[in-house]
Amino acid sequence: MDNTSFFWSSNLKFLRNRMKMSQVALAEKLDISRPKVNTHENGHVKNPPMADMVLFSDFFRMSIDTLVKVDLSKLSELKLRDLEAGNDVYLKGGSIRILATTVNNDNRENVELVPVKAKAGYLSGHSDPGFISKLPVFNLPQLDVNRKYRMFPTEGDSMLPVPEGAFVIAEFLQDWSGIKEKTPCIVVTKEEGISFKLVTGRIKENRSLLLESLNSLYEPYEVDVMEVLEVWKFHSYFTENIPGPMSSMEQMGRDVREIKATLHTLAKKEK
C-alpha cells in the first residue's frame, strides 16, 4: 500500500483525541488490549489485518477507505461533521469500487450471467477479473449500452411473485446514496451473498440499507453499508416456467398488499 496516502495511524489517533478518549478507554470499547491500540496509532503495523480495520471502522463509523486514504486532520470542522453524519463518499458505493467486467469485440460491456453453480463463488470473486472473465456472457438489444448490467439467479420464495429459479437482469449502482424507497435490487452482502430485495436507503440516518421481501411472511431488516459489496437495480427478469393460476390465498395476499400500499400513499398525501 502506498505510504504517501496511508493515513491509517494518524487518523485513528486523531479521531480518538477528537472523542476525548484515552487509549485505555478505546481499547475497552473495542475489547482489545491498549498496546494493540498504541501499535496501530504509532504506525508499527504496516499492513493492518482486515479484522482490525473493520473493528476500528465500525467504531468510528467511517469507511476503511476514508480512514486509509483521507488525512482527516486537514479537513474543516464542517467536513468532519459531514463525515460523522454519514455523508462519507466511500460509503455511497462509488468512488473506489472498481467493478470487474468484460467487453465484447466492439469494446462494449457484456451482460455477464452468474449461473447457480457460480453463485457461492461470486461472493469472493465479484471483484476478481479472472473470475468474472469465466462467466457466460450475452447481449440484449433493449439494454442501454451506456449502462452496466449483470444477470443473477433467484432462490427461495422471499420475492414471490417473481418465481424461484428466475434470472434477474439488473443495472450496476455505483452511488447508493440516491436509492429511493423500496427500489427492487440485487444486493450482494458479506453475510448473505446474493439476494433480491426491495431496498430503501438509510445512509444519511444510520449508514444502512433497509431490505424487504415482496413476500410479507419475511420481516424487513437493515444491513450496514460496510457489509454491502454491490447493489444492482432491477431491470427485468425471465423464467422458463409458465405461471400457474393464482390460488385464493395468494390473491388475498396480493389484495392486502395493494390495500396497504394505497393507504400508505394516501397517508403521505395527507401530511
Side-chain angles (χ1 to χ4, degrees):
M1 189 171 293
D2 185 359
N3 287 330
T4 60
S5 61
F6 189 69
F7 299 107
W8 175 257
S9 300
S10 59
N11 281 340
L12 296 188
K13 186 174 183 179
F14 174 79
L15 290 172
R16 176 178 61 78
N17 288 331
R18 182 174 170 83
M19 297 176 70
K20 295 181 170 56
M21 295 181 68
S22 66
Q23 287 187 345
V24 172
L26 179 57
E28 290 178 351
K29 289 286 188 181
L30 298 177
D31 196 23
I32 60 177
S33 66
R34 189 207 64 79
K36 190 169 191 176
V37 173
N38 185 60
T39 299
H40 277 283
E41 288 190 358
N42 288 332
H44 295 157
V45 184
K46 297 302 180 184
N47 294 293
M50 181 56 67
D52 288 353
M53 299 181 84
V54 171
L55 192 65
F56 283 100
S57 172
D58 286 348
F59 178 77
F60 289 119
R61 297 184 63 79
M62 288 189 188
S63 69
I64 292 174
D65 301 281
T66 292
L67 293 175
V68 170
K69 297 183 178 183
V70 179
D71 186 354
L72 298 178
S73 66
K74 296 292 195 298
L75 300 182
S76 65
E77 179 63 24
L78 182 62
K79 181 57 180 175
L80 283 170
R81 290 182 179 179
D82 197 37
L83 282 172
E84 292 168 340
N87 298 319
D88 188 332
V89 64
Y90 294 112
L91 293 181
K92 291 182 177 181
S95 244
I96 52 93
R97 285 181 172 82
I98 300 175
L99 181 71
T101 187
T102 60
V103 296
N104 61 20
N105 293 332
D106 297 324
N107 206 34
R108 291 184 176 179
E109 291 189 344
N110 294 308
V111 179
E112 297 91 5
L113 165 64
V114 181
V116 174
K117 63 181 181 180
K119 188 175 179 181
Y122 190 83
L123 189 59
S124 58
H126 71 283
S127 60
D128 179 5
F131 175 85
I132 298 300
S133 68
K134 295 177 182 178
L135 296 177
V137 299
F138 64 96
N139 289 285
L140 293 175
Q142 67 266 37
L143 298 181
D144 188 339
V145 296
N146 296 312
R147 299 176 186 271
K148 173 61 187 178
Y149 298 93
R150 191 161 287 167
M151 182 181 285
F152 300 89
T154 60
E155 287 184 326
D157 61 351
S158 67
M159 291 306 290
L160 289 174
V162 176
E164 180 176 11
F167 282 86
V168 172
I169 300 173
E171 174 194 346
F172 181 65
L173 289 185
Q174 190 174 44
D175 186 351
W176 306 340
S177 62
I179 297 177
K180 297 180 180 179
E181 184 178 4
K182 297 182 183 296
T183 300
C185 295
I186 290 290
V187 184
V188 184
T189 64
K190 297 175 184 177
E191 288 293 325
E192 296 187 359
I194 301 170
S195 59
F196 184 27
K197 300 293 182 183
L198 300 178
V199 181
T200 298
R202 292 185 173 178
I203 293 178
K204 287 190 176 181
E205 296 88 339
N206 51 8
R207 302 188 183 192
S208 69
L209 299 177
L210 177 66
L211 306 184
E212 300 179 66
S213 300
L214 278 174
N215 190 334
S216 58
L217 294 177
Y218 293 85
E219 293 291 328
Y221 61 94
E222 288 191 56
V223 58
D224 192 290
V225 290
M226 297 301 291
E227 295 298 313
V228 180
L229 300 175
E230 292 178 348
V231 179
W232 298 76
K233 183 180 178 182
F234 173 84
H235 176 275
S236 56
Y237 78 91
F238 81 87
T239 177
E240 297 176 351
N241 300 319
I242 299 175
M246 185 178 294
S247 69
S248 57
M249 288 299 294
E250 289 174 331
Q251 182 62 55
M252 186 181 299
R254 174 172 288 187
D255 291 343
V256 169
R257 286 193 296 272
E258 289 178 354
I259 291 171
K260 285 183 177 180
T262 302
L263 292 174
H264 182 68
T265 302
L266 292 174
K268 276 189 172 181
K269 289 181 179 180
E270 291 177 356
K271 290 182 178 180

